Amino acid sequence: MESKVRVAVIGGSGYTGGELLRLLSIHPHLEITAVTSREYAGKPISLVHPNLKGFLSISFSDLNMDKITEKADAVFLGLPHKVSVKYVPDLVERGMRVVDLSADFRLKNSELYKEWYGYEHPYPDLLQKFVYGLPEIHYEELKNTKLIASPGCNATATILALAPVVASKVVDSNKFVSDVKVSSSEGGAKPSEGSHHPERQNAIRPYDAEGHRHAAEAEQELSLLAKDKIKVSIVPHAVSSVRGALASAHTWGEVDDMTLWKNLASFYRGRKFIRIIRGNIHPYPDPKYVIGSNFADVGFATESRVGRITMFSAIDNLVKGAAGQAIQAFNLSVGLDEDEGLRIPPLRPA
Amino acid sequence: MESKVRVAVIGGSGYTGGELLRLLSIHPHLEITAVTSREYAGKPISLVHPNLKGFLSISFSDLNMDKITEKADAVFLGLPHKVSVKYVPDLVERGMRVVDLSADFRLKNSELYKEWYGYEHPYPDLLQKFVYGLPEIHYEELKNTKLIASPGCNATATILALAPVVASKVVDSNKFVSDVKVSSSEGGAKPSEGSHHPERQNAIRPYDAEGHRHAAEAEQELSLLAKDKIKVSIVPHAVSSVRGALASAHTWGEVDDMTLWKNLASFYRGRKFIRIIRGNIHPYPDPKYVIGSNFADVGFATESRVGRITMFSAIDNLVKGAAGQAIQAFNLSVGLDEDEGLRIPPLRPA
Amino acid sequence: MESKVRVAVIGGSGYTGGELLRLLSIHPHLEITAVTSREYAGKPISLVHPNLKGFLSISFSDLNMDKITEKADAVFLGLPHKVSVKYVPDLVERGMRVVDLSADFRLKNSELYKEWYGYEHPYPDLLQKFVYGLPEIHYEELKNTKLIASPGCNATATILALAPVVASKVVDSNKFVSDVKVSSSEGGAKPSEGSHHPERQNAIRPYDAEGHRHAAEAEQELSLLAKDKIKVSIVPHAVSSVRGALASAHTWGEVDDMTLWKNLASFYRGRKFIRIIRGNIHPYPDPKYVIGSNFADVGFATESRVGRITMFSAIDNLVKGAAGQAIQAFNLSVGLDEDEGLRIPPLRPA
Amino acid sequence: MESKVRVAVIGGSGYTGGELLRLLSIHPHLEITAVTSREYAGKPISLVHPNLKGFLSISFSDLNMDKITEKADAVFLGLPHKVSVKYVPDLVERGMRVVDLSADFRLKNSELYKEWYGYEHPYPDLLQKFVYGLPEIHYEELKNTKLIASPGCNATATILALAPVVASKVVDSNKFVSDVKVSSSEGGAKPSEGSHHPERQNAIRPYDAEGHRHAAEAEQELSLLAKDKIKVSIVPHAVSSVRGALASAHTWGEVDDMTLWKNLASFYRGRKFIRIIRGNIHPYPDPKYVIGSNFADVGFATESRVGRITMFSAIDNLVKGAAGQAIQAFNLSVGLDEDEGLRIPPLRPA
C-alpha cells in the first residue's frame, strides 16, 4: 500500500478548520499530522469540535513552522484574510504544497486587494503562481500546481451559477445581480451581536449590499471564461439556516429553456460534483439537499414575458464553499480523483 | 359612546382569518359579529386558533348570507381566489362594505385573470368598483369606497419597495426583479409535502420562478404610479422563518444615496406604517423587526461600481401583507385613522 | 381624565428592558419618563430596539438618580442580579415604587443568596418588605405594596405548573423534577459562545443540570403554599426557539385526571392570565400559543400505569416570565386591573 | 475481493428508508439490489430522496417477493408497524436475513402488542426468534442471529441513558421518567396538521404524555438488564430541530458523580458508538453534536441536595435511532465489525 499524503492544518479551530478535519479524518489517502491553533494549543481537538470526539488522537499545537513542515507534505490554511498572507510565502519557500482558504491569494490583480480588502498586497508576484481552486473551471491547471487559492463560498455559488451562460455567451447581458441567501455558519465561529441567536434566528437580513468582496473573484473568473470584462453584483442575505447558500443570479436576455439546459449540461459534462436540477417535483436547486456534501446543484428559471433569466446554484457553504472544495482541488493536484474521500451523500432531512 | 362597526369574517379558519380575528378582537371601534368556516361550523374558534382562547365568545358558523349580513355592516373575506368571487357580488348587492383578501378583485384588467389565474373573470365590471387596498398608494380613494380588494403579500412588499423610485422616475430602468424571501405562513394553514416541517425547515427554495402571480398586481399599481407600462419580475424563495417577507427589488441606474433617501422620505411623508431604515447598526430593513405589526420597513442600497440599485421592503406577511393592511384600509373607508387598532409595536426578539 | 403613572426603566437596553418598553409604550395608564443605559446613554432607543422605531420619543439617559426619581412615580429595574441591589435601597429610601426584575429581592431567606448566588446579601431586612410578584399567588399582597420582586422565568413556569397540586396536597410526593425547555432569549441580549447562532440553533442542550438557581424561589413559594418544606429540582434545556418556555414538572402519585382538572380550575379561578389546556386537538400547553402575551397555559398528564404525574406550564419567557408579569403585578399595586395594558392575544403562527 | 452482501430495502420512500439508502450506498461490504415503494414503483429514487441524486442507479420497484429475494441475501424493512408483520414471516420462511425497523418484532411478550399497539400479534412464536437490535446490549446474540428487530428511537435514547445504572443497580429507585425532546423527522415523511411548518416550528409540545409506546420495549430491555421488573415512563416533547433526540431520564437516589462515571465507563467499555460526555465546556450530551452519525453521547447530572439523578443520552434519531443502528446490528450478524460503513464523523455546525 502506498503511503498517505501528510497534511497539516494551520488555523484549525474555526468552522472551516473543523470541516477540514471532519473530511480529512475519513480521507483514505490523506493523513492529518498537525493542527494548529494559537488559542487552543495543547488542548484536545474535541474540546473545540465536539463532533470529532474519537476521531483524532492528536491535540492542537502551536504554529511552529519547522515542526509542522517537517512532518507534512502539504499545508491547508484556515486563517482569516490578511493573516494567511503572513505565513504562505514561507511555506512556498519551503517547497510545501499549499491550500489557502483565505482570500489572500485568490486575485491575480494585486490592485484589487486595495479596493476590496483595504490592504496593499505584499506579494503581487506570488499571486500569479496560485491557481484559483475551483475545479469545475481550472481542472487541468490544478493537476499541475502545488499552490491553490481556495474560493470564497458566495463566489463559488455565484460563479457556478453563471459560468455556463457567461462562457458560452448564450446570455449577452452584462447586468448580473447574484442575490445570495446564506446560512449562519458562513460568518465563522466567533460570536458577535449579529450572530447572537435571538437576533440571527428568523432574520432575513441583507448585508454588504453596497458591494460584497466576493464580487472581485467572481468577476475575475467569469471574465476569464467570457474573454471579456464581466461585471457582477453580489447581494448577500442572512437567513435562518446553519448550513447552505443559494445564489439566485438574475440577468436579462432571450434564451429558451432547452438552450439553457443544454448549455449547462455541456459546460459541466463529466464534473462529478455538479448536479443539474430540473423537473416537476424539485424544479430548482435548494441547498437543503446538498447539506454535508461537496455537491453544487445548479439550475435556472426564465420569465420570457419580461426577459428575465435566473441562474441558481446551491452549495453547502462549509463543504463545496470551503473545506470540501479545498480537498477536491488538492486531490487533483496530488494526482487523485477529484472526488476521492468526498463521495458522501448529502444528509436529508437536515 | 358611539356604536362599533359590526364586522363579519367569512373564511375564518385559515391564517389570514386567524390574524384578522387577533387584530379585530382588540380593535376599539370594530366588533366581530360572525366568523364562518365550512369545516368548523359550530366549533369554538380556539379549537382552530389556540392563541385566541379567551378572546372570542362566539363560535364558527355556517355561511348563511342572510344571517351574516343582518348583523354586520362589513364583511372581510379570508377565502382562496376563485372562491371569493362566488360570494362578493351578492354582498355588494346587499350593500355591505366588503374587504376581500383574495386576489379576485385586485386586477382592473379582467384579461389578466385568464393569464395569471387561469379563469375567466365573471364580473369584469365589478372589478372597476373595487379600490386596491394599499393605503400608501390609494389613501384618498379608500376614504371614499365601500369595496376594498386587499393586496397580496409579495405584491405589497414589491410595490412598497419600488413605488417611490418608479413614481418619481429617479430610476428610469424598466428592468426590475424583486427577489422575495418568504416565511412559511405565507403558504396558508393547509399542510402539504412542501410545508412538512422536515422538508421546509432549513430550505432556501425558489418557487414560481417562471412568473409569480403577484407580478400582475405589482405591475398594475407601479404602472399607475409611473403613468407608463412598468414590468416587474417577482421571484419568491421559501426560507425557514414562520413570519415575515423581504423584497429585494433589484434594478439598474445611476442615482446617489441622498437622492434615493429624499425620494423615499418625500413619497412616504405622513404614512404612519412606513419606516425608512438607514444607518450603521441596522442599515437595511429586516422583517424580523416588524413581526406582529403593520409596519413596512423600507430602505435601499446602491453599488455605483456596476450601476445596481436595490430597493428593500420588509413586512410581516400576515399583518401588513394581509390582515393588518385590510384593517388599515377599512379604517380609512369608515372614517377612522388608518392606524386605529393597529398601533402595536413589533415583537422583538421573535 | 386622570393623570398617568410615571414610570422609569433602569437598565433598558437588554431584552427584559426592551420588552418592558414595548408593553409600557401601549399601556393606557402608564407613561415612560426615562430609560437608562450606561452603554447607550444619549442614543435613540430604536438603535438598540429597532422594533420600537416610532414608538418612543425619548433617548437613553445616564443613571442619574435625582433626575430619574424627580420625574417618576415608579422605577422598573432590568438589571442583572448583584447590580440591582446597588440601586434599590436608594430608590426605596426615596419613597419610589420599585419593581425589580432581577433576583436580588426575591428570596426571603438571605442565606439562600450565599448558597445560590454566591454573595452575602447586604440588606436582609429589606428582603422582607418586598412582595414576590407572582399575582396568581400574591394577588392581595400586591395590592398593598410599593415594592415588588418580579419572579424568574423558569421559576414562574415551575411554580405555576405545581402550585395547585402542592397547595391542595392532591399530590403528596416530595419528589418534583421540573424539566424546563427554554428559548434563546432567556439568556439575555449579550452574545456568548453558547448563544452563537450556529451553536445554539438545533441544540437540545441541558444546562445548570446540577441545580438551577430558580429552584430557590420555586421552593420558597411552593413551601409557602404547602405550609411545608417542598423540594423542587429544575433542569433547564436550551432548545431552538427564540421565545417561550415549557415546564414539564414530573412527580409521582395516584390522582385521577378529573381531580387534577378540578384542582387546577379551582386554584386558578378568576385569574385572568391562566388558561387551562385540555382536549383532543391541543391536549397540553405549548409556549408557541402564548407568544407575545402574558398568558400562562397550564395542563397535566398522568400515566397511572407507573404512577407518574406531569404538570405543564407554558409561558412567553419575556412576557409572563419577565416584563409582562412585572406590569401585571405593578397594575395591582397601583389599583389597576391586573390585565390593564396586557389584553394582547398571542401571535400565531409565530 | 470477496463478494458483497446483497441487501434489499422494502419500504424505501420514507425517512428511515432514505437514511438506509444513504448509509448503504457508501457501505463497502453491502450492496443495494432492490428498493421497493408501492407509491413510487418505477420512479427514480432521487425523485423522493433528492439528496441521493447520482448515488443509486436503480429505481423503486414493486414489492414482488420472488424477485426481491432472488437477488438479495438480506432484507431491511422500513414499513410502519402492523404492515411489517405481513411480510416478515414469508421472508423468514424463505431463509432471508431480516432487519425489521418497525415495532412488530421488538417485544417478546405478545400481550404487549394488544396493550400498546392495539392489535393481536399473529406470530407470538416468531417474536422469540428475533434479537432486539441494540448492539450495546445484545452484542453477542446479534452475532448469531439472522433476525433483527431494530429498536425505536425514543426507546434507544432511553435505554442507553439508563442501562448502566439499572444493570449495576447503583440507582435502586424504580421511578424513572425519561423526558425526551425530539426533532421533527421522528414523525416520518408524511405531512400532517402537527407537522405543518408554521405549527411545528418553535413548538415545545408534549405528546403521548399519558404513555408512549416505546416504554414497552424500554421496560423489556431494562428489566432484562436489572433481572427485575423495571418501570419507565417516557414523555416525548416535539421541539424545532429536524434531527436529533435527547433523553433526560430522571430518577432518584444517592450516588456520587465518580461512581456514576465509572459505572458508565465500565458498562460501555469497548462499545464504539458510545461517547461519554463530561467536562466544563460541554458538560452534557447534546444531539447537535452527533448529527449524521451513529453515535450515542451519554452523560449524567446529579443534584444531591434533593437526591435527583438525571441520565442523558443524545442520538440522531434517523441514524442511531433507526437506519444506522440497523446497519450496526446487521454488521455484527454477518460477521463484520459493528462500525463497518459507519465511521462517519457527525456534522458540525448543523
Side-chain angles (χ1 to χ4, degrees), chain B residues 139-217:
Chain B
Y139 193 83
E140 292 302 328
E141 290 148 281
L142 286 166
K143 283 173 149 175
N144 296 295
T145 188
K146 291 174 71 177
L147 305 180
I148 299 170
S150 208
C153 45
N154 294 337
T156 296
T158 297
I159 297 170
L160 292 177
L162 288 175
V165 298
V166 160
S168 65
K169 296 187 193 296
V170 302
V171 169
D172 64 358
S173 163
N174 204 354
K175 293 191 189 312
F176 297 103
V177 54
S178 179
D179 186 303
V180 187
K181 294 85 184 163
V182 306
S183 298
S184 63
S185 60
E186 267 206 28
K190 214 177 133 57
S192 70
E193 307 258 318
S195 79
H196 187 49
H197 185 276
E199 299 303 324
R200 187 60 170 73
Q201 181 63 9
N202 299 324
I204 310 178
R205 182 198 304 156
Y207 67 92
D208 282 1
E210 264 91 26
H212 180 62
R213 283 164 171 173
H214 288 185
E217 51 190 282

Side-chain angles (χ1 to χ4, degrees), chain C residues 199 210 233 284 288-289 303, chain D residues 199 210 233 284 289 303:
Chain C
E199 299 304 324
E210 263 91 30
S233 193
Y284 315 113
K288 187 174 173 73
Y289 301 126
E303 188 173 5
Chain D
E199 301 302 325
E210 263 92 26
S233 194
Y284 315 114
Y289 301 126
E303 189 173 5

Side-chain angles (χ1 to χ4, degrees), chain D residues 9-324:
Chain D
V9 174
I10 294 184
S13 67
Y15 287 151
T16 297
E19 195 68 354
L20 277 170
L21 298 178
R22 177 178 78 90
L23 294 168
L24 290 171
S25 73
I26 53 172
H27 197 294
H29 301 296
L30 308 183
E31 184 192 357
I32 306 171
T33 54
V35 183
T36 80
S37 162
R38 195 159 33 181
E39 194 176 350
Y40 297 100
K43 302 271 174 65
I45 283 167
S46 65
L47 189 83
V48 174
H49 304 301
N51 59 321
L52 298 180
K53 191 177 161 84
F55 280 87
L56 295 166
S57 49
I58 56 172
S59 292
F60 286 115
S61 62
D62 265 323
L63 204 171
N64 179 319
M65 267 316 181
D66 289 340
K67 282 195 191 165
I68 289 166
T69 56
E70 195 176 305
K71 56 184 173 184
D73 308 305
V75 175
F76 285 66
L77 295 98
L79 299 170
H81 65 264
K82 287 200 211 175
V83 180
S84 239
V85 76
K86 295 182 192 164
Y87 301 107
V88 164
D90 183 11
L91 290 165
V92 173
E93 195 139 313
R94 287 163 187 260
M96 301 298 290
R97 294 180 172 277
V98 174
V99 184
D100 181 23
L101 284 94
S102 86
D104 285 347
F105 292 89
R106 294 181 195 151
L107 304 175
K108 298 295 169 203
N109 178 352
S110 64
E111 290 301 308
L112 292 172
Y113 284 96
K114 229 180 298 173
E115 182 181 341
W116 289 97
Y117 292 90
Y119 73 100
E120 187 87 40
H121 199 288
Y123 307 97
D125 292 352
L126 196 47
L127 292 176
Q128 314 314 317
K129 299 189 180 150
F130 272 77
V131 175
Y132 188 74
L134 193 61
E136 286 73 20
I137 309 288
H138 297 287
Y139 192 84
E140 293 301 329
E141 290 148 281
L142 286 167
K143 283 173 150 175
N144 297 294
T145 188
K146 289 174 72 179
L147 305 180
I148 299 170
S150 207
C153 46
N154 295 337
T156 296
T158 297
I159 296 169
L160 292 177
L162 289 175
V165 298
V166 161
S168 65
K169 297 190 191 294
V170 302
V171 170
D172 64 357
S173 164
N174 204 355
K175 294 192 190 310
F176 297 103
V177 55
S178 179
D179 186 303
V180 188
K181 294 85 182 163
V182 305
S183 297
S184 62
S185 60
E186 268 206 25
K190 215 178 130 59
S192 69
E193 307 259 316
S195 79
H196 188 49
H197 185 275
E199 301 302 325
R200 187 59 171 73
Q201 182 62 11
N202 299 323
I204 309 176
R205 184 198 303 157
Y207 67 92
D208 281 0
E210 263 92 26
H212 180 61
R213 284 164 170 173
H214 289 184
E217 48 190 285
E219 293 187 344
Q220 166 181 293
E221 296 300 313
L222 293 170
S223 297
L224 213 65
L225 286 169
K227 300 187 179 68
D228 202 352
K229 175 73 197 142
I230 297 292
K231 289 195 276 182
V232 183
S233 194
I234 298 181
V235 188
H237 297 74
V239 295
S240 289
S241 26
V242 173
R243 274 190 188 232
L246 177 81
S248 310
H250 306 292
T251 186
W252 308 93
E254 307 290 338
V255 196
D256 63 284
D257 285 10
M258 182 52 77
T259 303
L260 276 175
W261 188 88
K262 282 183 179 165
N263 179 235
L264 262 70
S266 132
F267 188 85
Y268 288 125
R269 183 161 302 131
R271 297 284 62 82
K272 291 183 178 168
F273 289 114
I274 302 291
R275 304 191 299 190
I276 302 175
I277 304 300
R278 195 79 187 142
N280 294 321
I281 309 285
H282 299 282
Y284 315 114
D286 181 344
K288 186 173 174 74
Y289 301 126
V290 299
I291 296 305
S293 83
N294 198 50
F295 288 101
D297 282 1
V298 299
F300 60 89
T302 60
E303 189 173 5
S304 59
R305 192 183 66 86
V306 296
R308 189 255 316 158
I309 296 165
T310 304
M311 307 304 299
F312 296 111
S313 146
I315 60 171
D316 180 324
N317 54 295
L318 290 177
V319 190
K320 184 62 180 167

Side-chain angles (χ1 to χ4, degrees), chain A residues 172-218:
Chain A
D172 63 358
S173 164
N174 204 356
K175 294 192 191 309
F176 297 103
V177 55
S178 178
D179 186 303
V180 188
K181 295 85 184 162
V182 306
S183 298
S184 63
S185 60
E186 267 207 26
K190 215 179 131 57
S192 70
E193 307 259 316
S195 80
H196 187 49
H197 186 276
E199 300 302 324
R200 187 62 169 73
Q201 182 61 10
N202 299 324
I204 309 177
R205 185 198 302 156
Y207 68 92
D208 283 0
E210 262 92 26
H212 180 61
R213 284 162 169 176
H214 289 185
E217 50 190 284

Side-chain angles (χ1 to χ4, degrees), chain A residues 32-223:
Chain A
I32 306 170
T33 55
V35 184
T36 81
S37 161
R38 197 159 32 180
E39 194 175 351
Y40 298 99
K43 302 271 175 61
I45 283 167
S46 65
L47 189 81
V48 175
H49 304 301
N51 58 321
L52 299 179
K53 191 176 161 85
F55 280 87
L56 295 165
S57 48
I58 57 173
S59 292
F60 287 114
S61 62
D62 265 321
L63 203 171
N64 180 316
M65 267 316 181
D66 289 340
K67 281 197 191 163
I68 288 165
T69 55
E70 197 176 303
K71 57 183 174 184
D73 308 305
V75 175
F76 285 66
L77 295 99
L79 298 170
H81 64 265
K82 287 200 212 173
V83 180
S84 237
V85 75
K86 295 181 192 164
Y87 302 106
V88 164
D90 184 12
L91 290 165
V92 173
E93 197 140 311
R94 288 165 187 258
M96 301 297 290
R97 292 180 173 278
V98 173
V99 184
D100 181 25
L101 284 92
S102 86
D104 285 348
F105 293 89
R106 292 180 196 152
L107 303 175
K108 297 297 167 200
N109 179 353
S110 64
E111 291 300 307
L112 292 172
Y113 283 96
K114 230 179 299 173
E115 183 181 341
W116 288 97
Y117 291 90
Y119 75 99
E120 188 88 37
H121 199 286
Y123 306 98
D125 293 351
L126 196 47
L127 292 175
Q128 313 316 315
K129 298 188 182 150
F130 272 77
V131 175
Y132 188 75
L134 193 61
E136 286 74 19
I137 310 286
H138 298 286
Y139 191 83
E140 292 301 329
E141 291 149 281
L142 286 166
K143 283 174 151 173
N144 296 295
T145 188
K146 290 175 70 179
L147 305 180
I148 298 169
S150 207
C153 46
N154 295 337
T156 297
T158 298
I159 297 169
L160 292 177
L162 288 175
V165 297
V166 160
S168 65
K169 297 188 190 298
V170 301
V171 170
D172 63 358
S173 164
N174 204 356
K175 294 192 191 309
F176 297 103
V177 55
S178 178
D179 186 303
V180 188
K181 295 85 184 162
V182 306
S183 298
S184 63
S185 60
E186 267 207 26
K190 215 179 131 57
S192 70
E193 307 259 316
S195 80
H196 187 49
H197 186 276
E199 300 302 324
R200 187 62 169 73
Q201 182 61 10
N202 299 324
I204 309 177
R205 185 198 302 156
Y207 68 92
D208 283 0
E210 262 92 26
H212 180 61
R213 284 162 169 176
H214 289 185
E217 50 190 284
E219 292 187 346
Q220 165 181 293
E221 295 300 312
L222 293 171
S223 297

Side-chain angles (χ1 to χ4, degrees), chain A residues 115-116 174-177 179 181-183 197-212 215 219 229 231-235 237 239-246 248 250 252 257 278 282-289 300-306 308 310 312 348-350, chain B residues 115-116 174-177 179 181-183 197-212 215 219 229 231-235 237 239-246 248 250 252 257 278 282-289 300-306 308 310 312 348-350:
Chain A
E115 183 181 341
W116 288 97
N174 204 356
K175 294 192 191 309
F176 297 103
V177 55
D179 186 303
K181 295 85 184 162
V182 306
S183 298
H197 186 276
E199 300 302 324
R200 187 62 169 73
Q201 182 61 10
N202 299 324
I204 309 177
R205 185 198 302 156
Y207 68 92
D208 283 0
E210 262 92 26
H212 180 61
E219 292 187 346
K229 176 72 197 142
K231 290 195 275 183
V232 183
S233 194
I234 298 181
V235 188
H237 298 73
V239 295
S240 289
S241 27
V242 172
R243 275 189 186 233
L246 177 80
S248 310
H250 306 293
W252 308 92
D257 286 10
R278 196 77 188 146
H282 299 283
Y284 315 113
D286 180 343
K288 186 174 175 75
Y289 301 126
F300 60 88
T302 61
E303 189 173 7
S304 59
R305 192 183 67 85
V306 296
R308 189 256 315 160
T310 303
F312 296 110
R348 168 179 172 275
Chain B
E115 183 182 341
W116 289 97
N174 204 354
K175 293 191 189 312
F176 297 103
V177 54
D179 186 303
K181 294 85 184 163
V182 306
S183 298
H197 185 276
E199 299 303 324
R200 187 60 170 73
Q201 181 63 9
N202 299 324
I204 310 178
R205 182 198 304 156
Y207 67 92
D208 282 1
E210 264 91 26
H212 180 62
E219 292 188 344
K229 175 70 197 145
K231 289 193 279 184
V232 183
S233 193
I234 298 180
V235 188
H237 297 74
V239 295
S240 289
S241 28
V242 173
R243 274 189 188 234
L246 177 81
S248 310
H250 305 293
W252 308 92
D257 285 10
R278 196 79 188 143
H282 299 283
Y284 315 114
D286 181 344
K288 188 173 172 73
Y289 301 127
F300 60 89
T302 61
E303 188 172 6
S304 58
R305 192 182 68 85
V306 295
R308 190 257 314 159
T310 303
F312 295 110
R348 170 183 170 275

Side-chain angles (χ1 to χ4, degrees), chain B residues 14-268:
Chain B
Y15 287 151
T16 297
E19 195 68 354
L20 277 169
L21 299 178
R22 177 179 78 91
L23 293 169
L24 290 170
S25 74
I26 53 172
H27 196 295
H29 301 296
L30 309 183
E31 185 191 358
I32 305 169
T33 54
V35 183
T36 80
S37 162
R38 196 159 31 178
E39 193 176 350
Y40 297 100
K43 301 270 174 63
I45 283 167
S46 65
L47 188 80
V48 175
H49 305 300
N51 59 320
L52 299 180
K53 191 175 160 86
F55 280 88
L56 294 165
S57 48
I58 56 172
S59 291
F60 285 114
S61 61
D62 264 323
L63 204 171
N64 178 320
M65 266 317 181
D66 289 339
K67 282 197 189 162
I68 287 166
T69 55
E70 197 176 303
K71 55 185 174 183
D73 307 304
V75 175
F76 285 67
L77 296 98
L79 298 171
H81 66 264
K82 287 201 210 172
V83 180
S84 238
V85 74
K86 295 182 192 164
Y87 301 106
V88 164
D90 183 13
L91 291 165
V92 173
E93 196 141 311
R94 288 165 187 260
M96 301 298 290
R97 293 180 173 278
V98 173
V99 184
D100 181 25
L101 284 93
S102 87
D104 285 347
F105 292 90
R106 292 179 196 154
L107 303 175
K108 297 296 168 201
N109 178 352
S110 63
E111 291 299 307
L112 292 172
Y113 283 96
K114 230 177 299 170
E115 183 182 341
W116 289 97
Y117 291 90
Y119 73 99
E120 187 90 37
H121 199 287
Y123 306 97
D125 293 351
L126 196 48
L127 292 176
Q128 314 314 317
K129 298 188 180 150
F130 271 77
V131 175
Y132 189 74
L134 193 61
E136 286 73 19
I137 309 287
H138 296 288
Y139 193 83
E140 292 302 328
E141 290 148 281
L142 286 166
K143 283 173 149 175
N144 296 295
T145 188
K146 291 174 71 177
L147 305 180
I148 299 170
S150 208
C153 45
N154 294 337
T156 296
T158 297
I159 297 170
L160 292 177
L162 288 175
V165 298
V166 160
S168 65
K169 296 187 193 296
V170 302
V171 169
D172 64 358
S173 163
N174 204 354
K175 293 191 189 312
F176 297 103
V177 54
S178 179
D179 186 303
V180 187
K181 294 85 184 163
V182 306
S183 298
S184 63
S185 60
E186 267 206 28
K190 214 177 133 57
S192 70
E193 307 258 318
S195 79
H196 187 49
H197 185 276
E199 299 303 324
R200 187 60 170 73
Q201 181 63 9
N202 299 324
I204 310 178
R205 182 198 304 156
Y207 67 92
D208 282 1
E210 264 91 26
H212 180 62
R213 283 164 171 173
H214 288 185
E217 51 190 282
E219 292 188 344
Q220 166 181 293
E221 294 301 311
L222 293 171
S223 296
L224 213 68
L225 285 169
K227 300 187 181 68
D228 203 351
K229 175 70 197 145
I230 297 292
K231 289 193 279 184
V232 183
S233 193
I234 298 180
V235 188
H237 297 74
V239 295
S240 289
S241 28
V242 173
R243 274 189 188 234
L246 177 81
S248 310
H250 305 293
T251 187
W252 308 92
E254 305 291 338
V255 196
D256 64 283
D257 285 10
M258 181 52 77
T259 303
L260 276 176
W261 188 87
K262 282 184 179 164
N263 180 234
L264 263 70
S266 132
F267 188 86
Y268 287 125

